[in-house]
Amino acid sequence: MADLSLSPTALTLSDQNPVDAKVDALVVGTHPTADGVAVVGADLPPALVDELVRLAKPLGLAGAADEVRTLPAGAACAADLLVLTGLGATGADGTFDTEALRRAAGAAMRSLAGSSTVAVALPSTSVADVAAIAEGALLGAYTYTRYRSTASSKVRRSDDGAPGTDVSRPPAAVEVVTPLADDADAEAAVERAAILAAAVHGARDLVNAAPNDLFPAAFADAAKAAVKGTGIKVTVLDDKQLVAGGYGGLVGVGQGSTRGPRLVKVAYTPPKPASKVAIVGKGITFDSGGISLKPGPGMEAMKSDMSGAAAVLHTVVAAARLGLPVAVTGWLCLAENMPSGSAQRPSDVLTMRGGTTVEVLNTDAEGRLVMADGLVAATEEEPDVVLDIATLTGAQMVALGRRVSAVMGDEAVRGEVTAAAAATGEQFWPMPLPDELRATLKSKVADLANIGERWGGMLIAGVFLREFVGSTPWAHLDIAGPAFNEKSAFGYTPAGGTGVGVRTLLGLIEARAAR
């Protein structure tokens, strides 16, 4: 059984016949075929399968990903409801890849908020399948209710106006029905899924928090709370310490706010680590653009500009909970970028940690300034590799859209990131850092300018950051679009904060642990 303290949803494995599961809802899969739609689920009675296939056309089912239909189960099942979740097309070998399973389980769970017990009977012929289904179910079982003021706002009322289902509450208990229920590796996969989902949910919660509640000092307090019981050491540098330490980027960006910046170090150090990994996260708790003020439309989403720092914090926590034999140090670069009489101005010159001077030509290109300080601090400790993750540029969305993140940097490290992303179900696309773009960052008065030419803005930001890593192997992850879902929920991804990056970063650390 998964650690119940990590999630409001308990997940177990079962090898019972799914039609005998006495649950609120039984989840089975659908997928398109040449003749229509097929229904798949372990040990389903042929008569039930035939009936569901017959109903597919009048129900408008296609078996596509994210397609979910809920029906009364009838006498064929002990469950009250039967949930059909689309898996999409099979692969060439007739099976489903792990991301299809993960996404189908997550989509079904999102539709079942308010149900108490659920059995998920999707195809699982390997431990990897079980892991994907467990992850998808737990990732999909997420709701954010911190600011709901009354119980009535969480309740779907019945037709007669009487209180009905609490739609803000995720399912309390989920059974994954699989023939591998007694397999030790499958049980270990469920334990990992619980830790992973808790980390993603923790990052989502931070991203979804209102910026009047989550400012730099409050984020630092949240980090202290998140690491309790893990053995992770937390160090917080406040305004005065940042000035004394020469962290010009953090000080410059944060000086326009009444709520000063922080640099938070969270360090997990197991005995005799196989590798030392440093992760730096952008933590702009609200980005108004500063003096270079952003336009009003869409500014509310700028509470998500700390998504990188949220991912870093909870990746370190997950690594510690898994007991991985890799030292992982996270650096949370926290500031609030506000316009005021004390805010930094275009044409100000900052001296970064390490002595590099930067002319600020646009105060809305602030993320790279705080990240530069964090990268220098991280590399001073001589890790084997340093990764940074940030909602850094709007150009990332222009290039890759809302669901695909970018990765730049040293080829070997970039390859580690894309491999980890592919293994864990996140989408990261490798991008170049052309040397000729460095010339666009020339300043007439300082070592660097904080912006270059318009074209290739995502790459130019990466070239800027490269100036602060020295010879340390490095990769930069730009998650500007995927970090905050402003559209409808899909698969296991909710609207709002997504927690993107946690799975990829943790997967990379696990891969290093397995070397």
Side-chain angles (χ1 to χ4, degrees):
M1 180 180 291
D3 185 345
L4 303 187
S5 67
L6 297 178
S7 170
T9 300
L11 192 146
T12 58
L13 300 179
S14 171
D15 59 2
Q16 73 170 318
N17 191 313
V19 298
D20 296 329
K22 295 180 180 179
V23 291
D24 294 336
L26 171 64
V27 177
V28 298
T30 61
H31 67 92
T33 67
D35 300 323
V37 174
V39 176
V40 288
D43 298 321
L44 291 178
L48 176 60
V49 172
D50 291 343
E51 178 65 8
L52 293 173
V53 169
R54 185 188 68 79
L55 289 172
K57 186 172 181 178
L59 288 172
L61 288 174
D66 292 336
E67 180 184 76
V68 179
R69 296 286 191 279
T70 301
L71 310 171
C77 298
D80 296 326
L81 300 173
L82 192 61
V83 181
L84 308 180
T85 185
L87 288 158
T90 60
D93 61 356
T95 63
F96 303 95
D97 65 33
T98 51
E99 179 61 7
L101 293 169
R102 190 182 289 113
R103 187 164 171 174
M109 291 296 288
R110 282 196 304 101
S111 75
L112 289 169
S115 298
S116 181
T117 55
V118 179
V120 181
L122 296 176
S124 56
T125 59
S126 68
V127 171
D129 291 343
V130 174
I133 295 167
E135 289 170 16
L138 290 173
L139 291 171
Y142 174 81
T143 57
Y144 186 73
T145 60
R146 175 175 176 177
Y147 299 106
R148 299 293 184 185
S149 59
T150 63
S152 62
S153 66
K154 306 175 189 178
V155 172
R156 179 190 296 124
R157 294 188 175 274
S158 61
D159 292 340
D160 62 3
T165 303
D166 182 354
V167 296
S168 70
R169 176 176 50 80
V174 176
E175 295 178 23
V176 174
V177 181
T178 173
L180 300 174
D182 294 325
D183 186 288
D185 290 337
E187 292 175 354
V190 169
E191 295 288 348
R192 178 189 177 277
I195 292 170
L196 175 68
V200 174
H201 290 181
R204 289 172 176 175
D205 284 349
L206 286 169
V207 176
N208 287 328
N212 59 317
D213 289 324
L214 190 73
F215 45 93
F219 200 137
D221 290 341
K224 294 175 184 176
V227 306
K228 285 184 178 179
T230 64
I232 293 171
K233 181 180 179 181
V234 180
T235 305
V236 180
L237 299 185
D238 64 16
D239 316 50
K240 293 181 180 179
Q241 292 167 311
L242 291 171
V243 171
Y247 294 92
L250 278 158
V251 172
V253 173
Q255 71 188 38
S257 174
T258 58
R259 305 185 294 188
R262 298 289 187 272
L263 179 63
V264 179
K265 175 184 173 184
V266 285
Y268 162 61
T269 310
K272 298 180 180 179
S275 182
K276 293 172 61 180
V277 176
I279 322 173
V280 181
K282 177 184 173 184
I284 303 298
T285 57
F286 187 77
D287 183 18
S288 70
I291 295 295
S292 306
L293 191 67
K294 292 179 181 290
M299 197 187 288
E300 67 275 7
M302 289 301 99
K303 69 176 186 176
S304 68
D305 214 13
M306 35 56 66
S307 297
V312 168
L313 169 62
H314 284 285
T315 296
V316 178
V317 170
R321 283 181 169 159
L322 289 169
L324 299 179
V326 174
V328 188
T329 302
W331 300 83
L332 316 181
C333 305
L334 309 176
E336 187 175 49
N337 188 24
M338 299 293 286
S340 72
S342 62
Q344 67 177 354
R345 297 151 291 260
S347 78
D348 278 1
V349 175
L350 308 178
T351 301
M352 318 300 285
R353 175 77 173 180
T356 299
T357 58
V358 177
E359 182 183 12
V360 179
L361 298 181
N362 187 323
T363 65
D364 195 26
E366 85 299 328
R368 64 199 69 184
L369 300 176
V370 302
M371 294 292 281
D373 277 346
L375 284 168
V376 173
T379 56
E380 285 173 350
E381 296 192 347
E382 299 183 344
D384 297 323
V385 64
V386 61
L387 304 147
D388 75 72
I389 181 167
T391 49
L392 206 61
T393 65
Q396 179 274 323
M397 289 183 277
V398 174
L400 296 174
R402 296 179 180 273
R403 297 192 186 184
V404 181
S405 301
V407 56
M408 293 149 266
D410 299 345
E411 185 175 353
V413 185
R414 190 179 66 185
E416 283 188 73
V417 172
T418 54
T424 58
E426 293 191 320
Q427 298 185 82
F428 277 85
W429 193 256
M431 302 295 287
L433 290 178
D435 290 335
E436 64 269 19
L437 294 179
R438 173 62 176 80
T440 73
L441 290 168
K442 287 183 178 179
S443 165
K444 294 179 181 179
V445 298
D447 298 329
L448 284 170
N450 77 324
I451 60 170
E453 67 182 15
R454 174 185 178 188
W455 311 112
M458 172 176 63
L459 310 182
I460 290 171
V463 170
F464 180 93
L465 293 179
R466 186 171 61 184
E467 295 289 311
F468 298 91
V469 297
S471 60
T472 305
W474 159 78
H476 160 56
L477 287 64
D478 194 333
I479 58 170
F484 194 75
N485 179 19
E486 297 186 71
K487 302 295 184 178
S488 299
F490 60 94
Y492 48 78
T493 302
T498 66
V500 71
V502 172
R503 290 184 286 151
T504 293
L505 292 171
L506 187 62
L508 184 148
I509 295 164
E510 288 176 313
R512 284 192 163 238
R515 287 181 179 177

